[in-house]
Amino acid sequence: EAAVTQSPRNKVTVTGGNVTLSCRQTNSHNYMYWYRQDTGHGLRLIHYSYGAGNLQIGDVPDGYKATRTTQEDFFLLLELASPSQTSLYFCASSDVSDRGFYEQYFGPGTRLTVL
Amino acid sequence: GDSVTQMQGQVTLSEDDFLFINCTYSTTWYPTLFWYVQYPGEGPQLLLKVTTANNKGISRGFEATYDKRTTSFHLQKASVQESDSAVYYCVLGTGTGGYKVVFGSGTRLLVSP
């Protein structure tokens, strides 16, 4: 069964702090994604990747970096956290094809609070 | 650009009521349309998927039909249960490659027993 795990599940930091959110998938999927979820906005794409060493910019990338170290692992980095980055963060993975869209499998989420 | 609109922020029903959640989309490409459901404390999960080839999706008693003329993709269920309480997202996939989708803002469904 598809599996995406995230750590930590909860994180509190202060303004200007350095935060790394981790995601691992065991689906052997090529694509991985980072989203943030905020009331009234649904899920918004921050960054995504189609393989180790690759990074693509999403729709709301400002203030975030990401790195894909292996096919399984995708990290989201906040180097100077701000209160506006307080949110619920989801990682997802997906198989892809030029013939159409496949399901995205989501992790359980990381709740980040920036004081 | 591509967009999805869900005007209903919250829908409140009683068990056995009929459910209808409205969704409209905008794209210049051939769309693939999804409904995802998110239960409390979990990530979203796929409920159903519809392409221009099949026009209709059915899953777990839910049904959605894609209407190209009105660019709508509504979700409906004949008789809801308390366990259906969740947030429902209309999601649009466009273009080639199949890697990037756009989420609507979500509709929270509350079903009372």
Side-chain angles (χ1 to χ4, degrees):
Chain A
E1 185 176 330
V4 180
T5 56
Q6 295 182 235
S7 63
R9 294 294 312 277
N10 289 281
K11 176 72 176 179
V12 180
T13 190
V14 296
T15 299
N18 195 324
V19 176
T20 298
L21 307 184
S22 303
C23 176
R24 167 164 286 193
Q25 56 103 357
T26 58
N27 306 325
S28 300
H29 287 162
N30 290 323
Y31 273 79
M32 295 186 73
Y33 311 81
W34 278 107
Y35 293 90
R36 60 177 290 171
Q37 183 179 46
D38 304 287
T39 303
H41 291 280
L43 277 78
R44 293 180 290 176
L45 182 64
I46 303 171
H47 291 299
Y48 62 102
S49 165
Y50 59 72
N54 175 265
L55 180 64
Q56 302 293 317
I57 295 173
D59 300 321
V60 290
D62 292 347
Y64 301 96
K65 293 184 179 179
T67 180
R68 180 92 174 268
T69 55
T70 65
Q71 186 184 36
E72 295 77 20
D73 298 303
F74 194 30
F75 300 92
L76 186 67
L77 293 77
L78 293 73
E79 294 184 333
L80 287 172
S82 73
S84 65
Q85 294 175 308
T86 293
S87 187
L88 182 58
Y89 291 86
F90 285 100
C91 175
S93 75
S94 175
D95 205 349
V96 289
S97 162
D98 60 1
R99 294 178 178 271
F101 286 80
Y102 286 86
E103 175 180 2
Q104 292 193 12
Y105 293 87
F106 284 83
T110 295
R111 184 165 296 280
L112 174 66
T113 302
V114 183
L115 301 175
Chain B
D2 301 328
S3 66
V4 176
T5 301
Q6 290 181 252
M7 296 300 294
Q8 301 156 287
Q10 181 166 304
V11 173
T12 302
L13 298 173
S14 300
E15 280 195 326
D16 298 323
D17 281 351
F18 173 73
L19 171 68
F20 182 88
I21 299 178
N22 188 22
C23 172
T24 57
Y25 66 90
S26 175
T27 181
T28 57
W29 199 256
Y30 299 102
T32 297
L33 297 152
F34 308 81
W35 281 99
Y36 277 76
V37 58
Q38 184 178 20
Y39 299 102
E42 300 181 9
Q45 58 181 268
L46 181 67
L47 178 59
L48 53 82
K49 168 185 166 182
V50 172
T51 68
T52 53
N54 57 19
N55 284 2
K56 190 173 190 175
I58 298 175
S59 175
R60 308 185 221 172
F62 291 87
E63 179 179 318
T65 302
Y66 146 72
D67 186 330
K68 180 181 178 181
R69 183 182 62 84
T70 59
T71 63
S72 66
F73 184 55
H74 309 311
L75 181 70
Q76 57 187 39
K77 187 177 185 183
S79 176
V80 294
Q81 302 303 305
E82 188 177 7
S83 58
D84 293 325
S85 296
V87 179
Y88 292 82
Y89 288 100
C90 182
V91 180
L92 169 67
T94 63
T96 58
Y99 54 84
K100 189 172 173 221
V101 298
V102 176
F103 278 75
S105 56
T107 298
R108 181 177 299 277
L109 172 64
L110 297 174
V111 181
S112 57

